[in-house]
Amino acid sequence: MTTQMIRHDWTAEEVQALFDLPFNDLIFKAQTIHRKFFNPNEVQMCQLLSIKTGGCPEDCGYCSQSAFAESDLGASKLMEVEQVLNEARKAKEGGATRYCMGAAWRSPKDRDMEKLKAMISGVRDMGMETCATLGMLTAEQAQELADSGLDYYNHNIDTSEEFYGEIITTRTFQDRLDTLEVVRESGMKVCCGGIIGMGEKILDRAEMLRTLANLASHPDSIPINQLIAIPGTKLENVNLPHAIDFVRCIAVARIMMPRSTVRLSAGREEMSDEMQALCFFAGANSIFVGDELLTTDNPGRDKDAELMSKLGIEPLPAFEEPALDKAPTNTLLTPASREKRA
Ligand code: SAM
Ligand code: DTB
Ligand code: SF4
């Protein structure tokens, strides 16, 4: 039963049919699948840190850190290891179980690798899962990062292959897939998703999810971002998608990739509590916590704590995600049953 649900052969028509379902049917289907693989009342808490901000040579139309954006960010140097570890310690004290370090690079330079590895092993030693997003990697770099204790590598495809060139011209969709491949080969887990609300069609959303689901292995984590239209970027004037259309994307991701963590990522500042609740109901089970994402604001801890308490949602403990293509380990584990098991 469960193996039939893990598919890598979705057709465009099948995905479109999911998007076309009446909303209640879609959400019911997504929630039913979600419950087979996860405790529906647990959400993972991740925290981000920009370890190298601004001055990026890529021209991603949504990003404030691109050298092509007219933002007042400026370019900073790679942070010192101790500074990163101090920030990570604070994140852990605040309840984060995964720490994601992001750098505004096309790809890391070999001279940066020692510092990066020290950051990764330092965060791992604190008992948090580690994630990094540093741009394109060679197979050697991916292996070095994996060997230093990097659990996840985030590298988004952002949108459909067809729409990609409208948003980014300094690299191709295939470049992204190539890095995902070396990440997977290195043994690290893949974190890969995209952005909703860049002016793409529903077909582009469907094709983006189809690309992810038809990879040889589903990404272990799938961040679904709502565009933050940042002043000075090419997409500064793009309107927000309708909340219902955004929730549909979460639901379709959940149905197509049942064992993956679906992260309700950027854009929560613009979302009502009700919209976020619908996203969790549609199968999102991870968020970024803390006051900031990389360069933009995020709802702070107090606001999130209030929402989680209203919804009866508890934080997912570290290292509890089911490994892909293995039997799920945390299916329907309540906090009480987890305590009993421990
Ligand atoms: N430079 C690395 C890269 O591009 O892979 C890592 C950092 S980049 C900021 C990570 C992801 O954040 C992007 O792929 C994009 O999906 C998301 N992102 C960036 N700016 C965003 C924005 N304004 N709104 C929503 N998502 C955004
Ligand atoms: C992802 O998909 N979203 C995060 C993380 N991966 C690195 C980043 C969101 C960035 C939002 C804009 C900003 O703060 O600069
Ligand atoms: Fe650079 Fe990443 Fe921003 Fe693109 S999304 S401009 S690669 S930091």
Side-chain angles (χ1 to χ4, degrees):
M1 167 73 169
T2 51
T3 41
Q4 282 165 3
M5 290 172 138
I6 311 297
R7 292 181 44 196
H8 303 271
D9 59 354
W10 291 89
T11 64
E13 292 72 27
E14 283 176 311
V15 188
Q16 188 60 50
L18 288 175
F19 274 95
D20 288 343
L21 280 174
F23 188 70
N24 285 345
D25 290 346
L26 176 66
I27 304 300
F28 181 70
K29 194 175 173 75
Q31 175 67 198
T32 305
I33 289 178
H34 190 49
R35 281 169 183 260
K36 288 197 200 309
F37 292 88
F38 291 98
N39 178 334
N41 303 311
E42 280 185 344
V43 166
Q44 177 193 51
M45 309 288 163
C46 308
Q47 191 150 346
L48 276 167
L49 177 69
S50 180
I51 58 171
K52 194 271 164 208
T53 307
C56 183
E58 303 270 23
D59 70 350
C60 313
Y62 48 76
C63 187
S64 57
Q65 306 200 64
S66 165
F68 295 84
E70 285 168 24
S71 69
D72 45 15
L73 263 185
S76 72
K77 282 202 183 128
L78 180 60
M79 277 170 77
E80 292 306 326
V81 177
E82 268 319 304
Q83 214 183 338
V84 172
L85 297 186
N86 281 339
E87 293 301 319
R89 220 166 275 121
K90 286 189 237 164
K92 183 175 162 90
E93 281 161 15
T97 55
R98 183 182 301 178
Y99 203 61
C100 180
M101 293 159 272
W105 285 326
R106 176 171 166 83
S107 50
K109 304 261 185 307
D110 286 342
R111 63 167 187 262
D112 300 315
M113 292 301 285
E114 286 313 310
K115 250 180 158 182
L116 291 170
K117 290 192 285 184
M119 292 171 189
I120 291 161
S121 58
V123 172
R124 195 82 183 20
D125 288 346
M126 291 176 198
M128 279 192 287
E129 292 176 326
T130 52
C131 179
T133 179
L134 314 167
M136 292 184 272
L137 296 181
T138 62
E140 294 71 30
Q141 287 174 325
Q143 199 56 59
E144 274 190 68
L145 295 172
D147 293 345
S148 72
L150 190 58
D151 297 304
Y152 288 81
Y153 195 75
N154 167 245
H155 200 67
N156 291 343
I157 58 168
D158 282 334
T159 189
S160 68
E161 182 162 20
E162 205 192 339
F163 193 60
Y164 201 77
E166 301 288 316
I167 304 297
I168 301 153
T169 67
T170 50
R171 58 167 191 262
T172 63
F173 196 75
Q174 187 59 45
D175 288 332
R176 286 315 250 192
L177 297 178
D178 292 347
T179 292
L180 292 172
E181 182 67 28
V182 299
V183 168
R184 187 59 89 187
E185 286 285 303
S186 76
M188 285 189 284
K189 292 185 182 165
V190 169
C191 173
C192 183
I195 306 180
I196 307 300
M198 298 191 291
E200 74 284 348
K201 298 193 188 77
I202 293 181
L203 179 64
D204 295 303
R205 297 172 187 169
E207 284 297 289
M208 175 182 87
L209 295 176
R210 193 161 80 92
T211 298
L212 296 176
N214 287 351
L215 291 171
S217 305
H218 293 167
D220 305 78
S221 273
I222 305 165
I224 304 290
N225 298 278
Q226 176 170 274
L227 176 75
I228 302 176
I230 303 174
T233 62
K234 203 170 97 184
L235 302 181
E236 65 181 338
N237 293 320
V238 177
N239 292 328
L240 283 178
H242 192 286
I244 297 299
D245 293 330
F246 183 89
V247 176
R248 279 184 182 276
C249 297
I250 299 272
V252 175
R254 168 52 66 224
I255 291 165
M256 295 175 77
M257 294 167 278
R259 284 183 179 162
S260 307
T261 301
V262 175
R263 183 166 309 107
L264 176 56
S265 300
R268 290 198 301 117
E269 276 279 90
E270 303 295 331
M271 297 179 195
S272 66
D273 285 356
E274 294 83 351
M275 175 174 173
Q276 293 184 61
L278 271 180
C279 288
F280 297 133
F281 195 50
N285 59 349
S286 177
I287 54 170
F288 285 119
V289 293
D291 293 336
E292 281 183 335
L293 294 166
L294 291 171
T295 68
T296 60
D297 292 343
N298 193 46
R301 269 178 212 291
D302 293 352
K303 210 164 167 216
D304 279 339
E306 201 183 319
L307 177 60
M308 296 305 147
S309 147
K310 245 189 203 331
L311 299 175
I313 287 178
E314 301 210 29
L316 175 80
F319 307 110
E320 283 262 340
E321 280 177 64
L324 289 189
D325 301 324
K326 291 201 193 112
T329 53
N330 68 339
T331 308
L332 297 180
L333 268 191
T334 61
S337 59
R338 181 173 301 107
E339 249 167 49
K340 229 161 124 196
R341 202 177 55 156

